[in-house]
Amino acid sequence: MSWTARSIPDQSGRTAVVTGANSGIGYVTARELARRGASVVLACRSEQRGASALDRLLSQVPEARAELRMLDLADLSSVREFARTLPHGSIDLLINNAGLMAVPYARTADGFEMQFGVNHLGHFALTGLLLERLLAAPGARVVTVASMAHVMSNIDMSDLGSARRYRPMAAYGASKTAGLLFVRELAHRADSKGLDLTATAAHPGYARTELQAKGPRLAGQPRRERLTRLFTDAVGASADQGAAPVLYAATAPYVQGDSFYGPRILGVRGGPGPAWRAPWARNDIAAAQLWAASERLTGVTYRGL
């Protein structure tokens, strides 16, 4: 039988941080971890949407232990404040889920191209700032939500901010390649130090969430937004189905470092299974170079790694 959220082992006594938990894949991930007993932190940019999500979660899982914390991945000062004020001494699961897709060109508070800044650099900084607490939890896992769109674009180390030529979808693909290279390097460093930390990745296939329509909406293209919504509603899987590979990577036994999971059927539908990665997302030299650049850009270094 296919692996589903019902297959999640008991998570009692574990603490999980889920970024972008106010909607879509992130919300389902937080809800199902809470349903299985985890203490869940909903890390959200919008207090209003985050509070609404927390209320919805508690109505669906009355026994849940869940809390809302503000986190804006487009602002490194917010990332640092989130890490500084998080009241948990150890973290068992970090789900790097929040992201933007194919949005018009913009810059983060720190001057980075928005998709690269949010999808990769914000999560790189967050993981590094929480590393000590992850290492304090036996069997901790870091799950980065990637995308099959990484096959569209390799990263350009000489133009990480897409300053020379910005194409929204290509920049999105490059940011997701960066996420997979981050997972590869983090897994390699943890393994070389003999640390009890698993870094893995997952993608949801094509799920019915707000992610696809946000780009056209921000670009002021209502017709394209409507068509995107119609297409997504027609062919997309549910958010629950999309979250299954993420939950599998976070909780299934025998998950290895530097693994990548997605829907089994053409990478779009079906239960979770191993996913294919483009060769450039498995490049050890590029992974090490991106790590060094990410440390320099964010000012966050991984002590002990």
Side-chain angles (χ1 to χ4, degrees):
M1 293 180 65
S2 180
W3 195 97
T4 70
R6 294 183 179 182
S7 309
I8 297 173
D10 180 33
Q11 299 295 299
S12 298
R14 308 192 82 199
T15 298
V17 174
V18 184
T19 69
N22 58 282
S23 65
I25 304 304
Y27 173 76
V28 173
T29 298
R31 183 193 67 201
E32 295 307 315
L33 290 173
R35 196 189 301 278
R36 296 300 295 155
S39 175
V40 178
V41 177
L42 282 67
C44 303
R45 182 177 63 86
S46 167
E47 185 171 6
Q48 180 180 1
R49 292 194 293 271
S52 177
L54 179 60
D55 288 344
R56 185 165 73 254
L57 190 155
L58 293 174
S59 70
Q60 294 177 335
V61 189
E63 70 279 10
R65 291 177 297 158
E67 62 184 288
L68 173 64
R69 293 269 164 178
M70 296 298 98
L71 172 65
D72 184 355
L73 290 162
D75 185 345
L76 290 178
S77 66
S78 174
V79 177
R80 291 181 183 278
E81 182 67 9
F82 175 89
R84 186 185 70 80
T85 59
L86 192 66
H88 299 280
S90 63
I91 297 170
D92 300 88
L93 296 173
L94 173 58
I95 314 295
N96 290 326
N97 162 78
L100 296 170
M101 177 180 177
V103 296
Y105 186 82
R107 290 186 179 274
T108 68
D110 304 280
F112 310 128
E113 184 274 311
M114 186 64 73
Q115 294 190 86
F116 183 69
V118 169
N119 296 355
H120 171 61
L121 290 178
H123 283 127
F124 178 91
L126 177 65
T127 306
L129 292 167
L130 296 180
L131 181 63
E132 185 176 339
R133 280 176 268 190
L134 286 161
L135 296 178
R141 295 187 190 181
V142 176
V143 181
T144 295
V145 178
S147 169
M148 284 307 293
H150 82 276
V151 304
M152 300 177 61
S153 311
N154 193 358
I155 60 169
D156 182 350
M157 289 301 304
S158 67
D159 189 27
L160 290 174
S162 304
R164 291 198 295 266
R165 184 186 183 193
Y166 181 74
R167 292 175 295 160
M169 197 63 195
Y172 174 69
S175 74
K176 291 302 180 176
T177 290
L180 288 170
L181 290 173
F182 164 61
V183 166
R184 189 171 187 84
E185 183 68 8
L186 178 57
H188 170 75
R189 288 175 176 241
D191 184 62
S192 67
K193 296 288 186 179
L195 300 176
D196 191 11
L197 175 69
T198 300
T200 182
H203 77 88
Y206 195 85
R208 295 191 299 272
T209 70
E210 286 295 307
L211 184 68
Q212 297 89 346
K214 189 167 187 178
R217 183 169 70 252
L218 291 175
Q221 300 174 330
R223 183 172 182 273
R224 183 168 156 235
E225 181 185 354
R226 288 195 298 272
L227 290 174
T228 299
R229 290 186 183 279
L230 287 172
F231 178 79
T232 301
D233 289 343
V235 307
S238 68
D240 287 65
Q241 292 170 320
V246 179
L247 288 163
Y248 182 92
T251 67
Y254 313 119
V255 168
Q256 301 295 311
D258 190 32
S259 50
F260 185 31
Y261 300 97
R264 286 182 179 274
I265 303 174
L266 301 176
V268 178
R269 290 181 178 272
W276 182 83
R277 272 177 287 191
W280 52 81
R282 295 180 275 112
N283 186 314
D284 291 330
I285 295 174
Q289 290 176 336
L290 177 63
W291 186 282
S294 300
E295 286 190 330
R296 183 180 72 254
L297 291 169
T298 63
V300 175
T301 57
Y302 283 52
R303 295 179 182 177
L305 286 182

